[in-house]
Amino acid sequence: MQALSPFQLLPDHIVQMMVDHLVGSTRLLSSGVTPSSEEHKLLLMPLLWVCQNFRAVASASFYRVNTVCLRGNYYDIQRAEYHWSPRLGKFYRRAHHLAREVNITLDRRVVFYDDVLAPLSKVSFKSCTFLQARKLKFVFYPSRGQHQSEHNSSKVEANIGAFVQWIKQMAPVVREIEVECGENYVDQYPDTEYFKSLLVQLYQLVPRIRLRNHKIPTPVDLLANDISNLVRIDIEFGSIDPIARLARHSASTLQSLVIETCGDGDVRGLIKDADGNYTEYPQLRVLKLKHKSKGYWGGKPSFPGATPFPGLRLLKLDSYPFGDEVVFRGNAATLEYLDFEAGGETIKMFMELGLFTPTSHPKLQYVKFEREGERGLYPFTTDMAYIKFLLDIGPSATVRVLPHMFSESKVSAALSLLGDYPSIQVLHFLSARLSLWDAITIIRSLPSLSDLHCESLALDPLPGEVIEDGLPAHIVSNYLRMGERFRCCHVYCKSGRLLKEVVTCALLLALICPNLDYCDPPVDYFAYFMDHMRRTIDSGLFKDHALRLRRLFFTK
C-alpha cells in the first residue's frame, strides 16, 4: 500500500487554507517570472501536491494549468507543452485526468492519409482518458509534405472514423469543440471533402462549436448545410452568409450565438432567408454580433411581424445593422444585459418608436451604450437630454457604463440626474477624469454604489482657501459619513504622476466612506501604486488617520 503524503493526511479545510496562502504567495512571486520559464512552472509544484481540486489552482490565473496540450507530427515532439517534461512527469501524472480542456495540434493530412494514431502514439500517456475534459480544441495545419496524388477514399474515411472514435474515448464527456485552422485550410479536392467529413463528424459529437481563424475565412461554409441542433455557435472571420445558414439550421435549439466577422454578406440573413421566410430562435439567450454594417430606418418596419429573439437575455452589438427595432421585439421582459453601439439615426429610430421607457425593461441590470463613430449630440439638443436617454435605458439597472469621450459638461449633466436612479451599484465613466468633489457627489447620490470606475481621480479644483495639507481636516469637518456600501475605486490611467493624485483622493474618500478598502489601478502599476499608498499613509498628511487607513487597505 502506497504511503500517504503529509498533505493527504490533513483535513480539507486546512488544505484549502494552505492552497489559498500558496496561491497568494505565488501570485506575488511570479511578478518577475515569465509564464514560459522553468521557475514559473516549478512554482506550481507545491500547489499541486496540496490541492485536491485542480480547478482551485487554475483559478489563480497565472498559468493555464487546467489545459493539456497534445502535439502531432507537425511539431517536434520534444517541443511539446511542459506536461511532457521528464522533470515534471509527476506533475502531469497527478493532474492530467482533471484537465478541463484538451488542445490537439495536428497536420490534418495525417488524419486523411496516414495511420491516424501514429503521431499520437509518440505522446506519453496516450492511453489515458480525460474524464473531466469539457472542451476540445483542434488546431489543424496544412501538410509540410507532398500532396498525395493517389488516395483510397474508403481508407481515408476509415482513418477519419478511427480518429473520431479515439476522441470519443479520450474525452467521453466533452461538450464543446473549437477548431482553429492554419493558413490555406482547404488546399484542393479531395482534401476539401475529407476535411468537411472530419469536421462534420467531430461536431456531431457535441452541441457547441467554435471556429477560430487568424484573419482568414473559417471552414464554416463546409458545414453550413450539414449540421443542426446546435446549442452554441461561436465564429470568428468569414462571410456572414454561411454563418447565417448554419444558425438558421439550429434555430430551434440554439442558446448562444457569437459572431465576430468583417467579411461580406448580409447580417440580416440571420432573420430572413433568401426566400423571405423569417426565422425564430425561441431558445436563444445570448446574442453577440460584431459586424460593421448598418441598417437605415425609413420610417416603416424592415421586418414586419417578425419576432426572432423572444427570450433574449444578453445582447451585445458593435453596430446596429438592422433597419428597425426587430432585435428588441418580444424580449423586453427577459433582457438583462445590454451592450451596444448605435449611430444617431438608429437612436432617433429608438426614440420615435418609444423603445426605451422607464418601465419597458424591468430585468435589465447591465447597460453599456456607445454612440457609433459620430461627433456632436445628434439627435439630442442638449447634454441633459443625451444623459437622460442613456439613464432611461433600464432605469433599474445596477451596472451603468457611460460612453467614452465623456466631456466635462456631460459629467456635470450626469451628476445632476444620478440621484433619480438609486439602484446603481457599479458606475463606469470610461474615459472621464473625475474630481474628488464629483466622486463625493456621486457616492452621496447613489446609496447602493459599491464600485466607481473612471480614468483617474483629481484634487483640482481645491475648495476656497483650502490647501492640500489641510484636505483631511476639511473632508472630515465638512462631509458626513456616507457610502456605507462603497468599497472600491477602479482607475485606468497609466501615469505615475496621476496615480499619486489618485492615491491621495482614495485616502481622502476613505475618511468619510467607512468601507472603502480597495483602489484598483492598472495591473502593471499595482506594486508602484500600493507602495506609494503605504508611504502616503505614513506621511504627515494622514498622520491622524494612519492606523485606520493601514487597517483598511493593508489588512484583509
Side-chain angles (χ1 to χ4, degrees):
M1 180 177 177
Q2 186 177 6
L4 295 174
S5 74
F7 293 124
Q8 291 172 300
L9 299 174
L10 294 174
D12 288 345
H13 72 281
I14 298 297
V15 170
Q16 189 59 53
M17 288 174 60
M18 296 179 69
V19 170
D20 292 341
H21 173 72
L22 284 167
V23 168
S25 300
T26 306
R27 187 182 294 114
L28 295 175
L29 289 170
S30 64
S31 60
V33 182
T34 62
S36 60
S37 67
E38 287 298 318
E39 292 86 352
H40 203 166
K41 298 164 188 175
L42 291 172
L43 283 173
L44 303 178
M45 290 295 289
L47 287 172
L48 187 64
W49 288 111
V50 174
C51 189
Q52 303 302 306
N53 182 347
F54 198 45
R55 295 174 68 192
V57 181
S59 69
S61 74
F62 47 78
Y63 196 78
R64 292 289 300 280
V65 293
N66 63 337
T67 300
V68 172
C69 294
L70 308 177
R71 304 277 185 179
N73 68 353
Y74 184 77
Y75 290 104
D76 178 355
I77 198 63
Q78 299 302 317
R79 293 170 52 219
E81 290 290 329
Y82 72 87
H83 302 289
W84 315 122
S85 166
R87 292 180 60 193
L88 296 174
K90 290 183 179 180
F91 176 88
Y92 176 74
R93 284 197 296 273
R94 191 174 175 87
H96 75 275
H97 62 287
L98 293 173
R100 308 288 290 182
E101 177 179 333
V102 179
N103 295 352
I104 301 176
T105 301
L106 283 174
D107 170 354
R108 66 174 180 279
R109 288 187 178 175
V110 171
V111 180
F112 300 162
Y113 301 117
D114 298 338
D115 179 355
V116 67
L117 300 182
L120 296 175
S121 67
K122 300 178 182 179
V123 179
S124 304
F125 313 105
K126 67 179 180 61
S127 61
C128 67
T129 58
F130 299 91
L131 298 178
Q132 301 298 319
R134 297 297 188 270
K135 177 182 175 181
L136 299 180
K137 177 179 178 180
F138 293 91
V139 181
F140 291 106
Y141 279 85
S143 176
R144 287 178 169 181
Q146 296 296 316
H147 177 67
Q148 301 250 349
S149 57
E150 296 183 8
H151 63 277
N152 183 321
S153 60
S154 60
K155 173 64 173 176
V156 172
E157 290 296 338
N159 282 346
I160 292 172
F163 180 75
V164 172
Q165 287 299 314
W166 184 83
I167 294 298
K168 289 172 65 175
Q169 296 173 13
M170 182 189 73
V173 295
V174 65
R175 298 290 294 165
E176 177 179 345
I177 286 180
E178 176 179 347
V179 168
E180 180 179 312
C181 299
E183 295 182 0
N184 304 317
Y185 70 86
V186 178
D187 299 316
Q188 55 185 309
Y189 186 85
D191 279 9
T192 303
E193 290 303 309
Y194 295 155
F195 194 42
K196 174 180 176 179
S197 176
L198 172 62
L199 293 177
V200 169
Q201 290 188 53
L202 284 175
Y203 283 135
Q204 285 173 344
L205 300 177
V206 298
R208 297 175 175 85
I209 72 171
R210 299 185 72 195
L211 292 169
R212 283 285 183 263
N213 259 34
H214 298 295
K215 299 182 181 180
I216 57 173
T218 64
V220 66
D221 52 327
L222 301 181
L223 307 172
N225 298 319
D226 294 278
I227 295 179
S228 60
N229 299 318
L230 297 169
V231 299
R232 179 179 176 184
I233 296 175
D234 185 343
I235 295 177
E236 179 183 6
F237 292 109
S239 170
I240 196 70
D241 293 335
I243 300 174
R245 290 202 310 274
L246 183 67
R248 291 199 305 268
H249 287 172
S250 294
S252 62
T253 58
L254 201 59
Q255 296 177 15
S256 176
L257 177 59
V258 180
I259 302 172
E260 182 177 347
T261 174
C262 56
D264 57 4
D266 190 348
V267 73
R268 292 174 295 182
L270 290 169
I271 298 174
K272 185 166 64 173
D273 65 18
D275 297 326
N277 300 311
Y278 291 146
T279 301
E280 181 177 325
Y281 300 80
Q283 304 298 321
L284 195 70
R285 301 294 180 261
V286 175
L287 175 60
K288 298 181 181 180
L289 180 61
K290 184 175 183 180
H291 186 266
K292 290 296 182 182
S293 59
K294 292 184 178 181
Y296 295 95
W297 170 240
K300 60 181 181 180
S302 301
F303 301 92
T307 308
F309 311 116
L312 206 60
R313 294 179 183 172
L314 184 153
L315 177 61
K316 182 175 174 28
L317 302 174
D318 274 24
S319 62
Y320 195 82
F322 306 98
D324 60 16
E325 87 298 5
V326 63
V327 172
F328 293 93
R329 288 182 199 157
N331 51 47
T334 61
L335 199 61
E336 299 173 3
Y337 182 109
L338 180 60
D339 179 349
F340 76 110
E341 294 183 18
E345 288 296 330
T346 299
I347 296 172
K348 183 179 178 182
M349 173 189 71
F350 291 162
M351 296 171 69
E352 289 180 5
L353 296 174
L355 182 61
F356 299 107
T357 69
T359 59
S360 62
H361 293 78
K363 290 188 176 180
L364 204 52
Q365 294 297 301
Y366 179 104
V367 177
K368 179 182 178 182
F369 177 86
E370 289 280 356
R371 295 186 73 249
E372 182 185 26
E374 296 178 10
R375 296 182 178 181
L377 283 172
Y378 179 80
F380 306 102
T381 56
T382 65
D383 287 323
M384 192 73 76
Y386 177 37
I387 302 303
K388 185 160 178 54
F389 169 79
L390 295 179
L391 294 174
D392 278 343
I393 301 176
S396 298
T398 59
V399 181
R400 290 275 176 187
V401 183
L402 297 178
H404 285 89
M405 306 308 295
F406 225 56
S407 65
E408 189 173 313
S409 63
K410 291 184 178 66
V411 172
S412 299
L415 294 179
S416 66
L417 292 171
L418 283 174
D420 296 331
Y421 303 87
S423 62
I424 296 176
Q425 297 176 18
V426 180
L427 182 62
H428 296 244
F429 287 92
L430 289 177
S431 59
R433 184 169 180 253
L434 297 179
S435 74
L436 170 66
W437 321 106
D438 286 343
I440 289 175
T441 300
I442 291 169
I443 296 166
R444 190 164 47 190
S445 302
L446 300 174
S448 299
L449 190 70
S450 64
D451 292 72
L452 178 63
H453 299 245
C454 60
E455 177 66 23
S456 66
L457 291 169
L459 293 171
D460 294 334
L462 293 177
E465 300 299 320
V466 178
I467 61 174
E468 187 169 335
D469 287 349
L471 281 173
H474 175 80
I475 291 287
V476 171
S477 61
N478 286 274
Y479 293 94
L480 298 174
R481 177 173 163 141
M482 65 178 69
E484 296 286 339
R485 298 184 181 181
F486 188 60
R487 300 295 304 271
C488 184
C489 288
H490 306 259
V491 294
Y492 308 129
C493 69
K494 294 186 177 181
S495 161
R497 179 182 61 82
L498 293 178
L499 286 174
K500 288 181 179 180
E501 199 166 350
V502 170
V503 166
T504 303
C505 290
L507 293 175
L508 290 169
L509 285 175
L511 298 181
I512 51 177
C513 300
N515 295 308
L516 173 59
D517 62 359
Y518 191 64
C519 196
D520 184 23
V523 63
D524 294 343
Y525 287 80
F526 181 80
Y528 168 86
F529 185 88
M530 296 307 292
D531 179 64
H532 185 69
M533 177 173 280
R534 182 178 283 106
R535 286 189 281 110
T536 303
I537 290 174
D538 292 338
S539 70
L541 184 62
F542 291 96
K543 62 181 179 181
D544 295 334
H545 311 279
L547 184 62
R548 176 177 172 272
L549 292 174
R550 271 196 297 269
R551 187 170 64 248
L552 272 178
F553 287 96
F554 293 98
T555 304
K556 304 299 181 190

